[in-house]
Amino acid sequence: MTFLLSLTLALLLGLAIEAREGGQARPVSLRPRDLAIRLAGYGWVMAFWFQFSWRPWLAGVSCVLTILIITIVSRLKRGIIGEPLVFSDFALLRQVPRHPELYYTRPLSDPRMAGPLIVVSTVVAAWYAIEPTILPAEPSVAILAILALPLMLVSSVVLSGEGKAAAALARLFPAPALDVDIARFGLPATLLGYALRWRAHRRTERGAALPTPIQRGDAPVIVVVQLESFLDPVRLGGPPLPLMEIIRERATLHGRLRVPAHGAYTMRTEHAVLTGTDAEDLGFGVFDPYLTHGGHEPTSLPLRARDAGFETVFVHPFHRDFFNRAAVVTRLGFDRLIMEDDFFEAPRVGPYVGDAAMADRVLAEVRARSGPLFLYGITMENHGPWKPGRLPGIDDPLAQYLTHVRNTGRAVEALLAGLEGLRATLCVFGDHAPALPNCRPGFGGTATDYAIFRFGPDAGGGGARRDLTAAELGRQLRQIIALPGEGESLALPPS
């Protein structure tokens, strides 16, 4: 009876929390089936907490707090990048204590973080002592119960990927539609449902066939640089960036780049460019393609370049473990990785290695090459968050961003100067718009800027504009690698 009472109250309070929040996006659906699935999601959360204590009221409060916390986090996330909480975000949680500087949070050693955690732990310990357990007194029955509940929860996950359960889940969640599904089924049920659909899709997916080896094109140097949070600062009310005029005059191809997310999720754009895969082809893996595939992409751009005779080099002045990037990009086909350890003495601008140092290292690799080179670099200087104290005397987030983006412009200009006289291709693009107060979701869609420059006797003129998606840019780069010989013009997508 106590368990049923606590469960009922937890379900009602969870519904009240989401009903209050529902007005922020879509109204909560009260259709019987939708409501049943929503409540089942709450019930699963309560069962999860109950297995650790066998104390109904502690489990009920934990369930309500879980719903409240994920709802608040989802609302905050939506306000910054225009997307609610998704299941793959939980896989990124381990990065927060490792790299708190990348988030609007504090390290666990900070009293403002450690204090609440200690208080919560103390309250939970006291609750254990005060509320009696409803675990059966008979030892053998208690052991059976302790084992049975986790087994039931695990079985519900395993069986959801097979047979009729999998078919029913696929009917409920045929494709990602976050706002619609959260309004219908609630955030907990949607998180669980998407995670299960992702798991089933991942299990049944098969890698594509290896590409046919191709002949090396006429560009012995191909440099692709992913620019952190880059777009034309004029669009943010900032002063003109000299680089943008150079792009308009000299780039073989340039324009707006529609990327998969606003203000975050670098890996989505990175994956799209490196694989040429459209978001709609990723299913529930769209939220974090690296989590889904782990870099196992048999037709990736670096593998294609390697098959074409290029040495493949990856340059990124940040931690090797972030996004598990070192392991992922190695599987993607990069022969050599140059990461933060290799930039130990490089000057920093704010908390990160400066873009000028990044450009210097890229050009050093170009000069030191012994054969055809495909180099993919990712800048770090303009990574958020833009918080007070980041730059001396500049606390305004937009002013900080504009300072960094000027450095980005100069770094790209240095790359252009360094590649002059070579038979080379340079591609630069923004991974996503910055998550600034004046650049919230809805700002210019999810578009950044990109440009492709060609050097050498057959470089041709500049000025062609085509707006592309990140995946289309990836496919464009594949065409460059596959150019069969001298005199070929850069293939342009249809207008």
Side-chain angles (χ1 to χ4, degrees), residues 308-482:
F310 289 77
E311 178 190 10
T312 55
V313 178
F314 180 84
V315 183
H316 180 43
F318 198 59
H319 297 285
R320 301 173 66 87
D321 68 337
F322 193 67
F323 291 156
N324 196 29
R325 200 173 241 135
V328 168
V329 298
T330 298
R331 296 187 197 109
L332 281 168
F334 287 100
D335 299 316
R336 191 156 52 88
L337 276 56
I338 301 170
M339 303 194 75
E340 188 175 48
D341 292 346
D342 301 289
F343 287 86
F344 181 74
E345 297 182 355
R348 292 176 178 258
V349 183
Y352 310 115
V353 172
D355 287 352
M358 168 79 176
D360 288 344
R361 184 56 189 257
V362 169
L363 291 175
E365 291 297 319
V366 170
R367 289 191 292 269
R369 75 192 187 283
S370 58
L373 174 67
F374 172 78
L375 185 149
Y376 191 96
I378 303 175
T379 68
M380 195 65 195
E381 178 182 332
N382 212 357
H383 198 293
W386 298 271
K387 297 187 289 190
R390 176 182 178 123
L391 294 175
I394 306 176
D395 284 345
D396 177 68
L398 177 59
Q400 291 179 349
Y401 174 84
L402 294 175
T403 299
H404 290 305
V405 85
R406 283 196 297 272
N407 295 337
T408 301
R410 295 188 188 107
V412 175
E413 290 180 50
L415 291 174
L416 291 169
L419 294 174
E420 287 288 356
L422 302 177
R423 182 164 290 153
T425 298
L426 171 66
C427 172
V428 294
F429 66 94
D431 60 349
H432 52 69
L436 291 166
N438 67 329
C439 187
R440 288 305 191 211
F443 170 86
T446 57
T448 61
D449 293 275
Y450 83 95
I452 297 175
F453 299 87
R454 298 200 63 208
F455 304 85
D458 59 334
R465 171 169 177 166
R466 296 288 188 275
D467 294 343
L468 302 175
T469 66
E472 288 171 340
L473 177 61
R475 294 194 287 270
Q476 191 69 44
L477 292 172
R478 294 162 82 90
Q479 292 181 34
I480 293 172
I481 292 174

